[in-house]
Amino acid sequence: MKLSKIKKLLPILDNVAFQLENGNFVPEHFHVTEVGQITKNFIDCGGVIRTEKVVNFQLWNADDFEHRLKPTKLLNIIKLSEEKLGIEDAEIEVEYQSETIGKYDLDFNGKTFVLKNKTTACLAQDTCGIPSEKQKKNLAELPVNNANTCTPGGGCC
């Protein structure tokens, strides 16, 4: 989800809720402790120099059980970040700590924001030597050539 989309959604929501893909919710008393832009300059395993930019939200589960972040407050934090930091309209990446700090993509299911699990991938598969995945076939669907087959008691096996 891009920053522009969350800015359109927040004014029509009563509450801000985040849910993990496994169905667990981020506790209602979470804080958004950071909104920023992260620029990652790197070289992939094929030698290509790349740049990625994401808008980063960091969620923190505090012991402040009376706290509830309202949509207007989050929208104001975003606007201040755009004004002071020059944040671009990029994809949002959410940091949230469970066992360790996890990074998630952001989606919306019509009611809550969903933290989508991220995965790693090779960005240079065509140049780094990873073989392409073989096409899988169902053996039952393969044509049978009876001239080259063994039969029980035929002595060919």
Side-chain angles (χ1 to χ4, degrees):
M1 171 184 300
K2 285 193 154 195
L3 188 62
S4 56
K5 184 170 181 181
I6 197 170
K7 287 169 49 180
K8 288 179 184 172
L9 289 170
L10 287 171
I12 61 173
L13 296 176
D14 293 327
N15 294 303
V16 179
F18 289 93
Q19 183 178 17
L20 297 162
E21 273 189 307
N22 66 9
N24 292 337
F25 281 87
V26 172
E28 293 177 327
H29 53 276
F30 73 92
H31 290 248
V32 174
T33 57
E34 295 178 11
V35 173
Q37 182 170 290
I38 296 175
T39 302
K40 179 179 171 183
N41 296 313
F42 61 101
I43 191 165
D44 69 25
C45 61
V48 176
I49 297 173
R50 298 178 184 263
T51 300
E52 291 180 357
K53 288 185 180 182
V54 295
V55 173
N56 181 265
F57 288 10
Q58 185 182 78
L59 306 183
W60 180 54
N61 181 13
D63 291 331
D64 177 9
F65 296 103
E66 301 304 315
H67 181 270
R68 300 292 182 271
L69 180 67
K70 293 296 180 188
T72 54
K73 176 71 172 177
L74 181 54
L75 190 57
N76 288 337
I77 294 169
I78 291 169
K79 287 178 180 178
L80 182 62
S81 299
E82 287 176 311
E83 177 187 317
K84 300 294 183 182
L85 302 174
I87 290 176
E88 300 173 18
D89 184 26
E91 290 293 321
I92 297 171
E93 178 181 84
V94 178
E95 290 180 358
Y96 176 64
Q97 184 167 348
S98 49
E99 291 82 35
T100 187
I101 298 172
K103 292 185 177 191
Y104 302 88
D105 287 327
L106 190 62
D107 201 2
F108 187 71
N109 66 12
K111 186 175 180 181
T112 61
F113 293 102
V114 180
L115 303 181
K116 305 285 284 183
N117 295 328
K118 293 182 83 149
T119 58
T120 59
C122 177
L123 299 175
Q125 289 185 13
D126 56 336
T127 59
C128 76
I130 295 175
S132 60
E133 190 174 318
K134 292 182 180 179
Q135 184 179 9
K136 296 178 182 179
K137 294 186 177 184
N138 185 344
L139 291 177
E141 296 173 0
L142 293 176
V144 177
N145 181 350
N146 287 332
N148 294 329
T149 61
C150 291
T151 59
C156 64
C157 299

